[in-house]
C-alpha cells in the first residue's frame, strides 16, 4: 500500500476509533450471520448422504428444524447488524461533517473567495456520505470476506483435498486482474468525483441567481452550460462503471472456469466412488461461497477506490493550512483599545496576481475618522482587509496599538474590529436574531437604539411580526438598503474599537447615507472609523481623506486642503462628487474625534 493510501487509511481509522464498540458489535453480528450461512452446505450433505437414504422421518424433521433455526439466527443477526451499522454511519457522518465545518471556519478568506460554494458543499455532503456509508461497511466486509474464505477453504479441503487442488491455480488470477485495473479504477473514480463536484457547483450558483438570469434572458445559455456539465458527469460515471464492469466480468470468467472444473472432475470422482453425491453438492455449494468472498473482494476493491477518492478530497480540506495562521505565541489585544493603526512599507498581491499595494505607509490616529478614496482597483478595500487580517501582507507590517496584527489572537482581533463589506451578510433568521449576532446579551433598549442609529425604525413598524419577523435567506425579504442598514445596526451592537466600512452604504440613497454617517460619527466619537464610498461628497467632513492610485498614496489631507491642491482628489470630486453633493455634514466636524 502506498504512503498516500496508508495516510488515508490511518485518518479513517482515527475517525472510527470513538465508535469502536459499535463497530465491534456490528462486525461480530455480521460474522455470526455469515457463519450460520456457511453451515447450510454441511447440513445439505448430511441430509443427502445420511437422512434421505435411511428414510428416517425423525431425522428429516430434525434437518428441517436445523434449516429453520439457521435461517432465523441468520435473519436476527443480519437485522441487528443492519441497525447497528446504520446508527454507526450516522454518528460517523456527524463527526466528519462537524470536523470539516470547524476547519472551514478556520480557513482564511482566500480559500472561501476562490472556492465555489457548490464545491465546498459537495465535499461536506456527498464525499462525507460516501466515506461514512462505504467506509463503515468496508471493515465488516473485509473481515467477513476473510472469515468466509478461511472457513470455506478449510471445509473444502476436508471434503475433498484433490478437488480443492484443482481450484487453487485459478485463485492467483484474481490478483493479476486487480493489478491490471488498479490505476484505471483510481483515475475513473477521481474523474467521476471531480465532474460531479463541478455540476454541483454550477447548480448552487445558478439556483442562487435565477432572478438575475431571467432579467438577462439567459435561461437557454444556462441550460446549455448545465447540459454540458451534466453530460460530462454522466460520461465520467459511465466510464467508471465500465471499468468496474470489465473488472467484474474478468473475475466472473474465472468463476465459470472453476465451476466447469468442479462439475467435471467432481462428477468423475463420484463415478469412481471417491466422493459422495452429498459431498459433491456440498462442494459445489461451497464453490459459490468460495468465489463469493473473491467477488466481494472485487466489490470491496472498487468501493475502496471510491472511498480513497472521497477521503482524499476530505483530507485536502482538513489538512489545509490557513493562509492567515494564528501563531502559538499570539497574544490578546488588551483593553482599552485606542484604535491606532499603522501600515508600514506594506506590499500585497492576491495570489500570484499583480501587485495591489506597493510599499504603502499609512497611519490612522486613535479616534480619527478617515476616508479612503480612489478609482476602482486602487487598493482601498485591500487596506481594510489587511487591517482586519482577512489577508496577511507580502511585505511590511500592519500594527494596531503598536502590535503586529500577526502576533494577535484572531478571536481577540476580530472582537475589537468590525469590518462591513458592500454585500450585507444576513441569515435566514428573525430580525432580532440577526441583530443579536452582534451582541447576544443585548437588551431591547440596546436593539432599539441600534435600529434608530441605522435608520431602520420604519422597517420595524412595517414588519407584521416586528422583531420576530423572518427576513429570508441572505435577508432577501428586505431591500438592498435595508439589508445594509441592518448590518450597520448589528455593527453598532458590536461596539468595536475600530470600524471599517467598505462601501457598506452603497445601496442607501445619498440623503440617508449622509444621515447614517452622521449618526455613526456621533455614536463612535472616540473610535477610529475608516470609510470607503464612491460618493465622495458624503466624505468631505472626515478628519482626513487619503487618495489612492494604483496601490500608492497619491495625496492626503482635509477636503478643503485637497481641493485647493487641484490634484487627483479635486478631479474625482468635480467629476463624481458634485452630482451627489447635498451637504448636510456641517454639524459633523473633526471635533467628533
Amino acid at each position: 500500500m502506498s504512503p498516500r493510501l496508508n495516510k488515508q487509511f490511518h485518518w479513517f481509522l482515527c475517525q472510527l476509533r470513538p465508535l469502536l464498540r459499535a463497530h465491534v458489535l456490528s462486525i461480530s453480528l455480521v460474522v455470526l450471520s455469515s457463519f450460520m450461512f456457511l453451515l447450510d452446505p454441511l447440513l445439505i450433505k448430511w441430509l443427502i448422504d445420511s437422512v434421505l437414504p435411511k428414510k428416517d422421518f425423525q431425522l428429516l424433521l430434525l434437518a428441517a428444524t436445523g434449516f429453520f433455526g439457521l435461517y432465523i439466527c441468520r435473519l436476527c443477526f443480519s437485522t441487528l447488524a443492519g441497525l447497528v451499522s446504520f446508527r454507526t454511519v450516522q454518528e460517523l457522518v456527524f463527526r466528519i461533517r462537524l470536523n470539516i465545518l470547524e476547519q472551514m471556519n478556520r480557513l482564511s478568506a482566500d480559500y472561501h473567495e476562490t472556492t465555489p460554494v457548490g464545491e465546498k458543499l459537495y465535499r461536506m455532503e456527498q464525499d462525507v456520505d460516501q466515506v461514512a456509508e462505504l467506509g463503515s461497511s468496508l471493515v465488516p466486509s473485509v473481515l467477513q470476506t476473510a472469515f468466509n474464505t478461511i472457513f470455506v477453504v478449510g471445509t473444502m479441503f476436508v471434503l475433498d483435498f484433490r478437488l480443492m487442488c484443482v481450484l487453487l491455480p485459478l485463485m492467483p488470477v484474481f490478483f493479476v486482474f486487480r493489478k491490471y485495473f488498479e490505476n484505471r479504477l483510481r483515475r475513473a473514480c477521481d474523474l467521476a468525483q471531480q465532474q460531479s463536484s463541478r455540476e454541483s457547483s454550477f447548480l448552487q450558483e445558478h439556483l442562487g441567481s435565477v432572478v438575475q438570469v431571467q432579467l438577462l434572458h439567459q435561461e437557454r445559455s444556462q441550460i446549455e452550460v448545465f447540459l454540458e456539465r451534466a453530460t460530462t458527469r454522466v460520461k465520467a460515471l459511465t466510464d467508471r462503471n465500465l471499468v468496474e464492469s470489465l473488472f467484474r466480468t474478468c473475475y466472473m470468467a474465472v468463476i465459470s472456469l472453476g465451476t466447469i472444473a468442479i462439475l467435471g472432475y467432481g462428477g468423475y470422482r463420484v463415478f469412481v466412488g471417491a466422493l459422495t453425491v452429498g459431498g459433491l453438492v456440498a462442494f459445489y455449494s461451497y464453490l459459490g461461497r468460495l468465489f463469493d468472498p473473491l467477488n466481494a473482494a472485487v466489490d470491496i476493491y472498487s468501493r475502496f477506490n471510491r472511498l480513497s477518492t472521497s477521503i482524499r478530497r476530505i483530507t485536502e480540506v482538513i489538512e489545509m493550512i490557513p493562509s492567515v495562521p494564528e501563531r502559538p505565541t499570539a497574544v490578546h489585544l488588551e483593553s482599552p483599545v485606542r484604535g491606532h493603526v499603522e501600515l508600514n512599507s506594506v506590499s500585497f498581491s492576491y495570489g500570484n496576481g499583480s501587485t495591489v499595494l506597493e510599499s504603502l505607509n499609512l497611519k490612522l490616529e486613535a479616534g480619527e475618522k478617515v476616508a479612503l478614496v480612489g478609482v476602482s482597483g486602487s487598493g482601498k478595500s485591500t487596506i481594510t482587509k489587511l487591517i482586519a487580517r482577512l489577508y496577511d501582507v507580502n511585505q511590511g507590517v500592519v500594527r494596531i496599538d503598536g502590535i503586529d496584527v500577526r502576533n494577535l489572537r484572531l478571536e481577540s482581533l476580530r472582537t475589537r474590529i468590525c469590518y462591513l463589506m458592500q454585500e450585507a451578510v444576513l441569515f435566514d433568521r428573525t430580525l432580532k436574531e440577526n441583530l443579536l449576532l452582534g451582541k447576544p446579551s443585548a437588551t431591547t433598549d440596546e436593539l432599539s437604539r441600534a435600529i434608530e442609529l441605522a435608520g431602520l425604525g420604519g422597517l420595524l413598524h412595517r414588519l407584521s411580526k416586528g422583531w420576530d419577523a423572518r427576513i429570508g435567506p441572505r435577508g432577501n425579504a428586505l431591500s438592498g438598503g435595508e439589508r445594509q442598514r441592518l448590518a450597520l445596526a448589528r455593527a453598532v451592537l458590536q461596539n468595536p474599537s475600530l470600524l471599517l466600512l467598505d462601501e457598506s452604504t452603497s445601496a442607501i440613497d445619498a440623503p440617508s447615507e449622509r444621515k447614517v454617517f452622521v449618526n455613526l460619527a456621533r455614536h463612535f466619537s472616540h473610535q477610529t472609523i475608516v470609510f470607503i464610498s464612491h460618493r465622495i461628497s458624503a466624505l468631505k467632513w472626515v478628519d482626513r481623506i487619503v487618495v489612492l492610485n494604483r496601490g500608492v498614496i497619491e495625496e492626503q489631507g482635509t477636503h478643503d486642503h485637497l481641493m485647493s491642491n487641484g490634484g487627483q482628489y479635486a478631479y474625482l470630486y468635480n467629476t463624481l462628487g458634485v452630482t451627489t453633493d447635498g451637504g448636510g455634514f456641517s454639524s459633523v466636524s473633526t471635533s467628533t474625534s
Side-chain angles (χ1 to χ4, degrees), residues 58-84:
Q58 288 185 340
L59 288 178
L60 181 63
L61 185 60
L62 181 61
T65 303
F67 276 112
F68 180 74
L70 287 176
Y71 173 77
I72 293 299
C73 290
R74 186 166 70 241
L75 182 63
C76 291
F77 288 141
S78 178
T79 302
L80 288 174
L83 293 174
V84 174

Side-chain angles (χ1 to χ4, degrees), residues 1-15 186 190 304-316 319:
M1 188 179 291
S2 67
R4 179 177 64 85
L5 291 179
N6 275 327
K7 188 176 181 180
Q8 292 177 356
F9 189 63
H10 179 264
W11 175 85
F12 183 65
L13 288 180
C14 290
Q15 305 305 309
R186 184 174 294 114
D190 284 349
F304 181 77
N305 277 279
R306 297 184 192 181
L307 177 65
S308 176
T309 299
S310 293
I311 289 178
R312 176 183 58 77
R313 287 169 53 80
I314 291 173
T315 53
E316 280 177 357
E319 296 175 358

Side-chain angles (χ1 to χ4, degrees), residues 350 356-357 372 377-387 390-391 419 422 502-503 532 548:
Y350 292 98
V356 180
L357 299 177
L372 303 181
S378 58
K380 304 184 299 295
S381 296
T382 300
I383 289 176
T384 57
K385 290 178 180 179
L386 293 176
I387 295 174
L390 295 180
Y391 292 88
Y419 172 58
Q422 180 174 356
D502 186 1
E503 292 285 351
I532 298 177
L548 294 162

Side-chain angles (χ1 to χ4, degrees), residues 271-323:
F271 290 160
V272 299
L275 184 66
T276 64
V277 174
L280 178 60
V281 172
F283 205 95
Y284 178 76
S285 298
Y286 276 124
L287 174 66
R289 286 164 171 77
L290 171 64
F291 284 107
D292 276 346
L294 293 180
N295 190 29
V298 174
D299 181 60
I300 287 172
Y301 185 65
S302 297
R303 288 162 58 191
F304 181 77
N305 277 279
R306 297 184 192 181
L307 177 65
S308 176
T309 299
S310 293
I311 289 178
R312 176 183 58 77
R313 287 169 53 80
I314 291 173
T315 53
E316 280 177 357
V317 176
I318 290 180
E319 296 175 358
M320 190 176 294
I321 299 175
S323 61

Side-chain angles (χ1 to χ4, degrees), residues 488 492 499 501 516-525 529 531:
L488 286 167
V492 170
L499 181 59
L501 302 178
V516 167
F517 281 164
V518 170
N519 291 340
L520 290 175
R522 287 173 175 166
H523 183 75
F524 294 112
S525 59
I529 304 180
F531 297 92

Side-chain angles (χ1 to χ4, degrees), residues 164-209:
M164 184 60 194
C165 288
V166 174
L167 292 177
L168 289 179
L170 297 176
M171 299 184 68
V173 178
F174 163 75
F175 297 100
V176 175
F177 287 139
R178 191 200 73 125
K179 186 67 177 176
Y180 177 78
F181 283 99
E182 182 175 6
N183 290 330
R184 291 171 175 80
L185 274 171
R186 184 174 294 114
R187 286 196 301 268
C189 290
D190 284 349
L191 185 60
Q193 294 288 82
Q194 180 184 350
Q195 298 303 330
S196 296
S197 177
R198 286 184 69 243
E199 182 188 28
S200 177
S201 296
F202 169 80
L203 289 174
Q204 175 77 20
E205 181 182 61
H206 174 76
L207 293 176
S209 311

